């Protein structure tokens, strides 16, 4: 009987430190140490903080894996298209090559860049930033990991540790704690990491504005999607997709260019069509995807609009007069 008791005590202790995706002291410590970095990456890239943290917890074993401790690699990213230092360890096959970083923060930066610049992850950036389940399933579908339960494991980590709360945090919430545990900001331009207690504008000279909660910049004369994407460190595919235009569409001076996915609903319920309006320019003016304007108003794609016509910008939720 005594042996059985010892066995269960050891099993319970092992589960706290190593097992499953349930609550673990080491996990809580890891989340506290890195939540500010995940939130700031979310504000800069549109990747939910909950997803970044859950992936880091899972892939790095809460910072305790050999890959994390010896190579600062917290997301299990391999050496494909990589010119930097490397770390060799067995994974799906023997002696696989993984990226090696100078710091944990550099690993977080590269994870964001990895998702932003791979077209197979493009559909994820059309999801709402609070849709952590959609992101988790999308990552699995896009082939981020071979584990068939990868999405479920991410979702469990998020829900067990309430990581979804960080997806709703605003820049004003990113304040250093009173114990001088100052969050670390970093410059993606030259990978120089400097302490700061203020939120750094990731886009520097470019003023970021928003419509319907969607961030945008204003195009300058002579710019195109490619030049703006390069300046903002975004994937080339993102801007045309977010703005529902082809790659080569010329931009006019003063034109709105969204740098985040537009919403599924408008801020206002109704829009009154003005002379010359099209569904696309209404979608751009209101920060809503054009396909939902067609859907909410039972319009066929390309349908002509009439001045004075009333268009619904939100899903039907009851009688409309």
């Amino acid at each position: 009987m005594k042996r059985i008791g010892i066995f269960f005590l050891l099993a319970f202790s092992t589960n706290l430190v190593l097992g499953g995706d349930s609550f673990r002291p080491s996990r809580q410590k890891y989340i506290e140490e890195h939540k500010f970095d995940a939130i700031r990456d979310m504000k800069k890239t549109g990747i939910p903080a909950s997803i970044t943290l859950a992936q880091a917890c899972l892939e790095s074993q809460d910072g305790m894996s050999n890959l994390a401790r010896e190579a600062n690699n917290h997301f299990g990213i391999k050496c494909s298209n990589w010119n930097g230092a490397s770390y060799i360890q067995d994974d799906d096959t023997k002696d696989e090559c993984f990226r090696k970083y100078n710091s944990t923060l550099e690993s977080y930066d590269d994870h964001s860049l990895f998702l932003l610049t791979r077209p197979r992850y493009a559909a994820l950036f059309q999801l709402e930033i609070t849709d952590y389940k959609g992101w988790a399933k999308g990552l699995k579908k896009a082939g981020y990991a071979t584990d068939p339960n990868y999405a479920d494991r991410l979702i469990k980590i998020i829900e067990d540790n309430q990581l979804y709360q960080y997806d709703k945090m605003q820049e004003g919430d990113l304040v250093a704690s009173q114990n001088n545990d100052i969050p670390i900001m970093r410059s993606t331009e030259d990978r120089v990491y400097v302490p700061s207690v203020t939120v750094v504008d990731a886009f520097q000279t470019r003023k970021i504005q928003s419509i319907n909660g969607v961030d945008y910049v204003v195009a300058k004369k002579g710019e195109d999607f490619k030049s703006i994407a390069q300046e903002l460190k975004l994937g080339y595919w993102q801007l045309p997709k977010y703005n529902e235009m082809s790659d080569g569409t010329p931009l006019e001076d003063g034109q709105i260019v969204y740098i985040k996915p537009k919403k599924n609903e408008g801020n206002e319920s109704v829009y009154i069509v003005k002379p010359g309006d099209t569904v696309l320019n209404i979608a751009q003016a209101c920060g809503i995807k054009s396909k939902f304007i067609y859907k909410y108003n039972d319009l066929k794609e390309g349908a002509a609009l009439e001045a004075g016509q009333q268009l619904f910008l939100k899903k039907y939720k009851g009688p409309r007069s």
Side-chain angles (χ1 to χ4, degrees):
M1 190 70 168
K2 185 176 181 181
R3 288 182 179 178
I4 293 174
I6 292 173
F7 171 79
F8 279 112
L9 179 61
L10 288 172
F12 177 75
S13 299
T14 301
N15 185 60
L16 277 178
V17 178
L18 298 174
D21 293 323
S22 56
F23 174 85
R24 294 182 287 181
S26 59
R27 175 155 295 166
Q28 296 300 302
K29 182 174 183 291
Y30 184 88
I31 290 168
E32 284 301 309
E33 287 177 350
H34 298 289
K35 64 184 181 182
F36 287 112
D37 299 303
I39 294 166
R40 285 193 171 110
D41 271 357
M42 174 179 69
K43 296 303 177 185
K44 183 174 67 176
T45 66
I47 300 169
S50 62
I51 287 293
T52 297
L53 285 169
Q55 283 195 281
C57 287
L58 182 58
E59 297 287 350
S60 74
Q61 296 174 27
D62 306 318
M64 298 301 293
S65 70
N66 287 338
L67 187 61
R69 288 186 291 109
E70 298 182 23
N72 287 313
N73 188 330
H74 288 243
F75 296 91
I77 299 178
K78 297 181 180 179
C79 288
S80 177
N81 300 316
W82 176 250
N83 297 319
S86 62
Y87 179 83
I88 305 300
Q89 73 171 22
D90 296 346
D91 191 48
D92 295 326
T93 60
K94 186 176 175 58
D95 292 338
E96 292 204 60
C97 181
F98 289 83
R99 300 181 180 190
K100 185 175 182 179
Y101 306 103
N102 295 318
S103 68
T104 301
L105 294 174
E106 191 173 334
S107 177
Y108 271 68
D109 268 345
D110 195 50
H111 168 258
S112 296
L113 188 64
F114 184 83
L115 296 184
L116 283 167
T117 57
R118 267 58 177 184
R120 70 176 183 270
Y121 299 116
L124 296 175
F125 292 88
Q126 299 297 310
L127 300 174
E128 294 292 332
I129 206 163
T130 53
D131 185 8
Y132 62 87
K133 292 182 179 179
W135 270 83
K137 293 173 183 177
L139 284 167
K140 174 63 185 78
K141 184 177 180 181
Y144 191 96
T146 56
D147 179 359
N149 299 313
Y150 191 73
D152 292 335
R153 295 181 72 184
L154 291 181
I155 292 169
K156 181 169 176 57
I157 291 172
I158 290 169
E159 294 181 344
D160 284 353
N161 298 278
Q162 300 181 7
L163 301 184
Y164 44 75
Q165 65 182 302
Y166 302 127
D167 298 338
K168 300 176 182 179
M169 291 187 73
Q170 302 299 316
E171 291 184 358
D173 298 320
L174 303 184
V175 180
S177 62
Q178 293 181 352
N179 63 357
N180 294 322
D181 181 18
I182 299 175
I184 295 177
M185 289 304 297
R186 51 208 187 275
S187 166
T188 55
E189 182 68 28
D190 50 13
R191 293 189 180 279
V192 173
Y193 305 103
V194 294
S196 172
V197 293
T198 58
V199 176
V200 176
D201 180 4
F203 306 107
Q204 297 178 350
T205 59
R206 180 74 68 162
K207 183 178 180 181
I208 309 299
Q209 304 176 71
S210 67
I211 293 175
N212 194 27
V214 184
D215 289 349
Y216 73 90
V217 297
V218 176
K220 302 172 186 175
K221 186 176 181 180
E223 289 186 322
D224 56 21
F225 284 131
K226 187 173 184 178
S227 65
I228 294 176
Q230 287 175 339
E231 178 187 341
L232 303 186
K233 302 294 187 294
L234 297 173
Y236 177 54
W237 55 268
Q238 288 178 276
L239 298 187
K241 189 175 185 67
Y242 294 164
N243 293 275
E244 303 181 84
M245 301 176 190
S246 61
D247 291 357
T249 302
L251 299 178
E252 299 178 2
D253 186 26
Q255 181 174 340
I256 288 174
V257 178
Y258 286 102
I259 59 174
K260 297 280 183 68
K262 290 184 287 187
K263 299 290 184 68
N264 296 350
E265 292 188 330
N267 188 43
E268 302 294 334
S269 298
V270 175
Y271 178 90
I272 305 301
V273 177
K274 301 179 180 65
D277 270 346
T278 65
V279 170
L280 179 57
N281 68 33
I282 293 172
Q284 287 293 98
C286 299
I288 177 176
K289 297 169 187 174
S290 60
K291 68 179 180 180
F292 289 101
I293 296 179
Y294 286 116
K295 180 179 179 179
Y296 299 151
N297 295 276
D298 294 324
L299 295 173
K300 292 183 178 180
E301 190 169 345
L305 303 177
E306 297 181 3
Q309 182 178 348
Q310 178 177 269
L311 290 181
F312 297 112
L313 303 181
K314 293 188 175 182
K315 186 177 180 179
Y316 177 78
K317 295 178 182 177
R320 285 171 170 160
S321 55

